[in-house]
Amino acid sequence: MERVTLLAPPKLNLRLLVGPLAADGYHPVRTLMVALDGPADVVRVSHAAGRVVRCPGVDGPGNLAWAAIDALERETGRSLPAEVVIEKAIPSRAGLGGGSSDAAATLVGVDRLHDLRLGVDALERVAARVGSDVPFFVRGGARWGEGRGERLTAGTTPPFAAVLLRRDPGLATPEVYRAFDRLPPPRPPAGPGDAPGSFEGLAAWVRNDLWPPAFALRPALGRTVRALAAAGAGPVLLCGSGSCVAGFAPDVDAARRIAAAIPGDGFRAVVTPAAGGVRIVAD
Ligand code: C5P
């Protein structure tokens, strides 16, 4: 195998319930994550003499893809030289999991490049050492995450479309969790634990406990929310720890109309739930 090309999709947290800071420095979550069809990063993994990670803005050891290869080397006890080139379509620090998805794609790509044949369960286990959201992207689809988000079980989502809109400066996840700690704890959720089966039910059920801290750090998010609501989205939800915001619609046509009705610039995309996660598109 000379080179592996993968697509790394973004995700949405349809529900993100956050508990108080635990002794390990993380917050226990219960979250329904859904991989998205829409703009995806392209990750190319090829043989190299050593290790190279190229990604606009985050080259080298600062990239989660680098940590992903470190974790694979520890797991296998082998040196795994590779060049990883990441072409970004998913904005960074947006709450869409782009960096985590790139890291998962790197795990799957290096596994294929070096013919490691670790299998999905082992890849998920290694992914959990790289970051809380990385294991999700190995299988993707709709999955519940618990613990830090890395303990995964099967989930379901009714069909939906969403308009992603990112106009506000990026938010760093640790900063948002620190702001969460300074606010009163969220109220326990009312209503069903599992996702409803219809779009109407989903619209009333989506929730993100990181809204108040993200909003405290970026009051301008209110304008982005109002732009989506004024264009007809219902409901509107912060993506992960922000700063991207999603406006929901029952189908793609309605989402396209909403996207077209929003004036101004910034990242915007129409997305739908994806059946899988990171995907090899060419060897
Ligand atoms: O796991 P990951 O490296 O993506 O997490 C980044 C940071 O976000 C952690 O160091 C922690 O501060 C915060 N975090 C958290 N609770 C989680 C996930 C992340 O507090 N469930």
Side-chain angles (χ1 to χ4, degrees):
M1 197 67 62
E2 282 310 305
R3 174 163 130 157
V4 187
T5 303
L6 305 100
L7 285 181
K11 57 87 183 155
L12 254 182
N13 302 73
L14 292 181
R15 190 160 252 221
L16 178 49
L17 307 177
V18 181
L21 179 65
D24 64 359
Y26 286 82
H27 297 73
V29 299
R30 176 162 169 76
T31 181
L32 180 63
M33 290 178 274
V34 180
L36 300 173
D37 273 331
D41 292 347
V42 179
V43 179
R44 295 192 174 83
V45 182
S46 51
H47 285 295
R51 189 187 304 174
V52 181
V53 173
R54 285 191 220 288
C55 176
V58 209
D59 277 331
N63 197 294
L64 269 192
W66 190 281
I69 304 177
D70 276 342
L72 262 187
E73 289 191 338
R74 276 198 301 277
E75 173 72 14
T76 58
R78 284 177 53 177
S79 161
L80 300 168
E83 181 184 59
V84 179
V85 178
I86 301 168
E87 212 178 284
K88 294 295 292 178
I90 308 168
S92 300
R93 290 158 49 108
L96 297 169
S100 300
S101 191
D102 298 342
T106 301
L107 289 174
V108 172
V110 172
D111 175 81
R112 174 70 78 99
L113 187 76
H114 286 284
D115 203 22
L116 303 175
R117 301 180 191 223
L118 286 183
V120 172
D121 288 343
L123 286 171
E124 273 185 357
R125 192 164 37 76
V126 175
R129 296 178 208 139
V130 182
S132 307
D133 284 349
V134 183
F136 165 73
F137 288 102
V138 174
R139 275 194 180 88
R143 294 172 75 70
W144 282 99
E146 287 177 274
R148 292 182 284 128
E150 86 291 6
R151 283 207 323 263
L152 298 168
T153 50
T156 57
T157 173
F160 68 85
V163 181
L164 304 180
L165 184 63
R166 210 285 275 268
R167 286 175 162 169
D168 306 284
L171 280 164
T173 304
E175 196 191 352
V176 177
Y177 274 107
R178 275 198 299 275
F180 174 91
D181 296 337
R182 294 193 291 269
L183 294 172
R187 275 183 291 112
D194 284 329
S198 69
F199 176 78
E200 292 69 29
L202 184 77
W205 181 84
V206 294
R207 165 169 164 161
N208 185 346
D209 286 346
L210 295 180
W211 245 131
F215 195 71
L217 293 167
R218 290 270 182 286
L221 279 169
R223 278 205 298 276
T224 308
V225 172
R226 284 195 294 278
L228 279 162
V236 177
L237 186 72
L238 182 75
C239 299
S241 55
S243 60
C244 190
V245 179
F248 287 81
D251 55 54
V252 169
D253 286 343
R256 288 205 181 113
R257 283 196 296 276
I258 292 165
I262 298 169
D265 51 6
F267 166 85
R268 78 184 66 183
V270 169
V271 296
T272 52
V278 297
R279 177 157 74 85
I280 294 176
V281 288
D283 296 309

